[in-house]
Amino acid sequence: MLWFGIVSGLVEVMALGVIKFGSLASAPAGWASPDDRIRHGYLWLSPHVIWMAPAMLSGFLAVPVILLGLVGRYRGMLLSIRTAVGALTFVCVASSLYVYPRLYDWAVVLLAAGLAMQAARIAAAHPVGFKSFVRRTAKWMAAAVLGVALVMNLGAGLRERMRVGGLPGALSGAPNVLLLILDTVTPNLEQLAEGGVTFDRAIATSPWTLPSHVSMFTGRLPYEFKTNFLIPYAGEHITLAEHLSSRGYMTAGFSGNLVYCAYEAGITRGFLHYEDYRVVGSEFLVSTALGRRIAGSQVLHNMLSRFDVFGEKDAAAVTGDFLRWVDRRPQGRPFFAFLNYMDPHEPYLPPQRFAE
């Protein structure tokens, strides 16, 4: 089970790499459908998918193994290697094929079934050699996945500390700067404005997230940089975070928008610390193509009476991340922090106490 899960997860990761880096040159210049967009540079997945996918698929495979074991026990039969390999291969291949969203379901089932039959036949013909190979390689692959997980989780903190140590000194009395953005909302904020400076002629440079944020961070208009729904910001101009970090500021970003305010969008430049995707259960689920199919199932949403975006970070999570960072940051330096709140964005589903 572990061997199949790791191999399948790594195959999915390689397929995602082909999609991200192999299709950039062919990306269309304008808008594309959600199915098309995943094919051209943006994956909109956590970078931790590298180790999350093998881990999650190993967990997924526990389900068919348990079911087959129960059936075999009920009928008084041992689970044969042909049956086990066939079932596990079918689930693994189906999940890997779902990486490509334009494949029809029936095509995925037929391809997965065909490959599963062939894998089962080969394993049954060479059971001793197959089992020996699986046992020898499973522990090394598991160690490699664990090593990647440790490096990615611990390495980010180490890199941040090294970058903080390289900051120049800040001016004495430099103020802290806090930028709060309520993504895609224009409510009446008079009460908040009464306690600060009000800009009566504040106009967005664009009707959507990425170019608006780039303009806020660079002071440039959208025609001065190349970005669209499929092209991230390439760093044509220095950002506010880059400028302030060069002046000794601690810089940090906390985003609830995991589409155009995450690491792939190019706006994290200059931030010493940036939190978008989290290492949580929902991210484990969507780290695999099969998990994304499950998470996007309307049947599942109806069963759970949950109609928001699966795994989306709400304002409480964004604010909590920021406050924890403030408490543990090195003292003696001013900070620039950017918080993006996604709650007002569609789908427009207020919490129950407000819906009533």
Side-chain angles (χ1 to χ4, degrees):
M1 181 180 71
L2 178 65
W3 185 87
F4 279 91
I6 294 175
V7 170
S8 180
L10 295 177
V11 169
E12 283 200 27
V13 170
M14 289 188 288
L16 291 172
V18 171
I19 291 172
K20 183 171 180 63
F21 301 108
S23 301
L24 287 174
S26 62
W31 175 261
S33 70
D35 282 354
D36 287 329
R37 279 181 281 155
I38 197 172
R39 297 165 59 83
H40 297 291
Y42 278 109
L43 296 178
W44 293 326
L45 293 171
S46 168
H48 292 275
V49 70
I50 295 173
W51 64 270
M52 280 183 170
M56 190 64 205
L57 276 168
S58 298
F60 270 140
L61 293 180
V63 176
V65 168
I66 292 173
L67 291 177
L68 289 171
L70 291 174
V71 171
R73 185 174 182 181
Y74 174 75
R75 294 191 173 184
M77 299 182 301
L78 293 176
L79 186 63
S80 70
I81 189 172
R82 180 186 292 271
T83 302
V85 170
L88 294 175
T89 301
F90 178 82
V91 176
C92 291
V93 172
S95 182
S96 299
L97 291 174
Y98 276 134
V99 170
Y100 297 93
R102 287 194 166 189
L103 286 177
Y104 286 105
D105 287 341
W106 62 263
V108 170
V109 171
L110 288 176
L111 286 169
L115 290 173
M117 291 177 63
Q118 292 300 316
R121 181 182 61 80
I122 294 171
H126 308 281
V128 176
F130 178 78
K131 290 179 180 179
S132 175
F133 175 75
V134 168
R135 280 195 290 266
R136 286 200 314 270
T137 56
K139 58 184 179 182
W140 295 111
M141 291 193 299
V145 171
L146 179 60
V148 171
L150 291 174
V151 168
M152 293 191 70
N153 284 280
L154 301 179
L158 178 60
R159 288 193 302 272
E160 183 179 334
R161 287 192 291 272
M162 293 176 61
R163 293 169 67 187
V164 170
L167 288 175
L171 291 176
S172 177
N176 295 326
V177 180
L178 180 61
L179 173 62
L180 306 179
I181 294 179
L182 279 66
D183 209 314
T184 64
V185 66
T186 55
N188 185 344
L189 298 176
E190 288 184 358
Q191 184 176 1
L192 181 61
E194 287 174 358
V197 178
T198 302
F199 294 86
D200 295 319
R201 297 187 63 189
I203 301 172
T205 61
S206 175
W208 67 286
T209 300
L210 183 54
S212 292
H213 279 69
V214 174
S215 289
M216 284 186 279
F217 286 168
T218 65
R220 302 283 183 158
L221 293 173
Y223 75 86
E224 297 181 87
F225 48 85
K226 295 179 180 178
T227 187
N228 62 26
F229 290 103
L230 300 176
I231 300 176
Y233 177 58
E236 294 94 333
H237 308 285
I238 189 172
T239 66
L240 180 59
E242 288 175 314
H243 177 77
L244 289 177
S245 64
S246 72
R247 298 298 189 272
Y249 270 72
M250 292 285 295
T251 55
F254 307 86
S255 177
N257 186 332
L258 301 182
V259 179
Y260 286 114
C261 282
Y263 71 100
E264 289 184 295
I267 64 171
T268 62
R269 299 169 183 276
F271 287 104
L272 301 177
H273 180 90
Y274 203 90
E275 295 189 38
D276 42 25
Y277 293 94
R278 298 172 292 173
V279 180
V280 294
S282 58
E283 289 303 324
F284 273 94
L285 177 62
V286 299
S287 67
T288 70
L290 183 59
R292 291 192 290 278
R293 296 279 295 197
I294 295 172
S297 168
Q298 191 61 50
V299 174
L300 178 65
H301 282 257
N302 290 338
M303 290 175 57
L304 299 177
S305 296
R306 179 176 178 173
F307 305 100
D308 56 347
V309 178
F310 198 85
E312 188 172 76
K313 292 168 65 176
D314 60 15
V318 174
T319 302
D321 290 342
F322 163 66
L323 293 177
R324 283 187 289 273
W325 175 82
V326 167
D327 289 340
R328 69 172 184 263
R329 81 188 196 283
Q331 301 300 310
R333 286 185 178 275
F335 70 79
F336 164 56
F338 152 64
L339 280 67
N340 174 289
Y341 294 114
M342 194 68 169
D343 301 55
H345 195 281
E346 59 82 27
Y348 303 117
L349 299 166
Q352 193 62 34
R353 64 183 184 277
F354 297 120
E356 297 176 349

